[in-house]
Amino acid sequence: MPKMKTHSGSKKRFRRSGTGKIMRAKAYKSHILTKKSTKRKRGFRQETELAAADAKVINARLAGR
């Protein structure tokens, strides 16, 4: 049986941290930025850890299972 491929969409959107957590980018950074405060927009730059419920699914997609 051939090897399973890593899910291409997932590999572009998520990364694994040094400690093994799955990290994701924050939402709401793409448009309508004029009404959002500078402090709020600055917060969108940092990555955040993926929720545990979602991490199980994404982990399988990144592992190619």
Side-chain angles (χ1 to χ4, degrees), residues 14-30:
F14 305 101
R15 70 173 194 88
R16 212 177 296 274
S17 69
T19 54
K21 296 177 198 166
I22 297 173
M23 306 302 285
R24 65 164 178 86
K26 289 184 182 172
Y28 307 110
K29 180 69 166 83
S30 56

Side-chain angles (χ1 to χ4, degrees), residues 6-53:
T6 301
H7 189 270
S8 295
S10 296
K11 91 180 151 189
K12 292 170 192 170
R13 288 172 175 83
F14 305 101
R15 70 173 194 88
R16 212 177 296 274
S17 69
T19 54
K21 296 177 198 166
I22 297 173
M23 306 302 285
R24 65 164 178 86
K26 289 184 182 172
Y28 307 110
K29 180 69 166 83
S30 56
H31 59 57
I32 317 174
L33 298 172
T34 49
K35 64 173 82 170
K36 294 168 191 163
S37 69
T38 311
K39 182 179 179 180
R40 188 173 162 200
K41 288 186 281 191
R42 206 166 40 242
F44 293 143
R45 290 183 206 150
Q46 279 83 42
E47 288 181 319
T48 187
E49 188 182 347
L50 196 63

